[in-house]
């Protein structure tokens, strides 16, 4: 007998396979404008005995007119996200988080904190999320999820206070009026307008200083010329 043909070898390749999905929940499906709204997005590698999901990426497309606060992954980094405290728009709405490898039966999350702006009052907003992996997938079709939120009216409690530095004040003596506006919440506010009606005669306005410290968006009119202006009404606006 020929004993040289008693063995045979067949090469084969073992390919990794995964079944991933994404789930999304929100802190409140009816949220007030100006208050914190939190989304939690979970990228899940289903517990089905398959492989590790390599290079998982979670993406989130935010609705317009939200003030973006933060995006925090449970592992990995969110390399693409709006700037903190910026307002979302079609060109400023993408969050992309590189989660890394996720073992079978494990999930990783991204927590997104935003604040709905007043432009959204009365509207239902939709937030879309998706998950991807470089590992070959089976059971395609559940890699995207969305959640709707109805935006209700804001709840505000505004307080204004005015003080002077000298009282009584003598003729030709300077005094400083300080006007303080506080929002006791619970919602953040927008488009605050403060009017200070000063005597039309016998008083010279020497200068106006915006104590909020954000001159790029805040403004007070009219501009006070060098040497001052006799009386009148000052109007200061604060968009956010």
């Amino acid at each position: 007998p020929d004993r040289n043909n008693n063995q045979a070898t067949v090469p084969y390749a073992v390919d990794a396979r995964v079944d991933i999905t994404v789930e999304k929940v929100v802190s409140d499906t009816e949220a007030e404008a100006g208050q914190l709204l939190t989304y939690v997005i979970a990228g899940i590698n289903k517990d089905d005995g398959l492989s590790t999901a390599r290079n998982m990426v979670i993406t989130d497309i935010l609705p317009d007119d939200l003030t973006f606060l933060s995006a925090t992954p449970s592992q990995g980094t969110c390399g693409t996200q709006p700037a903190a405290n910026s307002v979302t728009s079609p060109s400023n709405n993408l969050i992309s988080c590189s989660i890394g490898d996720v073992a079978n039966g494990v999930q990783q999350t991204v927590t997104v904190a935003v604040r709905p702006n007043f432009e959204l009052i009365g509207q239902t907003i939709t937030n879309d999320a998706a998950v991807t992996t470089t590992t070959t997938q089976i059971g395609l079709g559940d890699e995207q999820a969305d959640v709707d939120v109805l935006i209700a009216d804001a709840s505000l409690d505004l307080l204004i206070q005015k003080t002077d530095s000298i009282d009584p004040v003598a003729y030709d003596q300077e005094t400083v009026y300080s006007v303080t506006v506080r929002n006791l919440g619970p919602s953040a506010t927008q488009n605050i307008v403060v009017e200070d009606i000063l005597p039309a005669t016998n008083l010279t306005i020497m200068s106006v200083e915006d104590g909020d410290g954000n001159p790029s968006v805040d403004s007070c009119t009219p501009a006070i010329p060098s040497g001052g202006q006799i009386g009148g009404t000052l109007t200061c606006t604060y968009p956010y």
Side-chain angles (χ1 to χ4, degrees):
D2 186 358
R3 294 184 175 85
N4 295 322
N5 60 0
N6 290 354
Q7 294 179 334
T9 301
V10 177
Y12 64 93
V14 177
D15 294 329
R17 295 287 188 271
V18 294
D19 187 4
I20 63 170
T21 187
V22 64
E23 294 181 358
K24 187 169 194 176
V25 296
V26 65
S27 57
D28 195 344
T29 56
E30 185 170 336
E32 292 188 7
Q35 296 194 32
L36 176 65
L37 184 65
T38 303
Y39 296 99
V40 178
I41 309 158
I44 304 166
N45 187 2
K46 292 183 181 180
D47 186 11
D48 52 12
L50 295 178
S51 306
T52 294
R54 304 292 184 187
N55 305 310
M56 179 180 283
V57 175
I58 294 175
T59 58
D60 188 25
I61 300 177
L62 296 170
D64 294 347
D65 295 317
L66 300 174
T67 296
F68 175 78
L69 302 176
S70 64
T72 306
S74 55
Q75 74 173 33
T77 59
C78 295
T80 300
Q81 58 181 288
N85 297 310
S86 66
V87 177
T88 57
S89 66
S91 60
N92 186 48
N93 63 358
L94 177 63
I95 300 171
S96 180
C97 302
S98 299
I99 301 300
D101 296 345
V102 178
N104 183 256
V106 175
Q107 72 174 28
Q108 299 293 339
T109 62
V110 176
T111 301
V112 179
V114 298
R115 190 171 61 236
N117 294 337
F118 286 19
E119 292 84 353
L120 296 173
I121 291 175
Q123 298 183 38
T124 297
I125 60 174
T126 301
N127 191 343
D128 299 305
V131 63
T132 61
T133 176
T134 56
T135 306
T136 301
Q137 296 182 61
I138 63 172
L140 297 174
D142 53 359
E143 297 82 28
Q144 295 181 327
D146 58 57
V147 64
D148 293 335
V149 178
L150 175 64
I151 306 303
D153 287 337
S155 296
L156 304 173
D157 186 3
L158 298 179
L159 173 68
I160 189 167
Q161 182 180 28
K162 185 173 183 178
T163 60
D164 52 11
S165 61
I166 301 176
D167 189 4
V169 61
Y171 172 77
D172 208 26
Q173 186 179 15
E174 287 192 2
T175 186
V176 177
Y177 292 108
S178 298
V179 180
T180 303
V181 178
R182 292 186 176 91
N183 176 19
L184 303 181
S187 295
T189 190
Q190 294 174 232
N191 302 318
I192 291 291
V193 178
V194 178
E195 285 190 345
D196 191 6
I197 303 173
L198 297 166
T201 59
N202 300 321
L203 183 145
T204 300
I205 305 172
M206 301 303 297
S207 64
V208 177
E209 179 180 341
D210 174 22
D212 184 67
N214 194 3
S216 63
V217 293
D218 303 336
S219 64
C220 292
T221 57
I224 305 303
S226 176
Q229 169 186 302
I230 302 297
T233 298
L234 290 171
T235 302
C236 297
T237 59
Y238 302 91
Y240 295 99

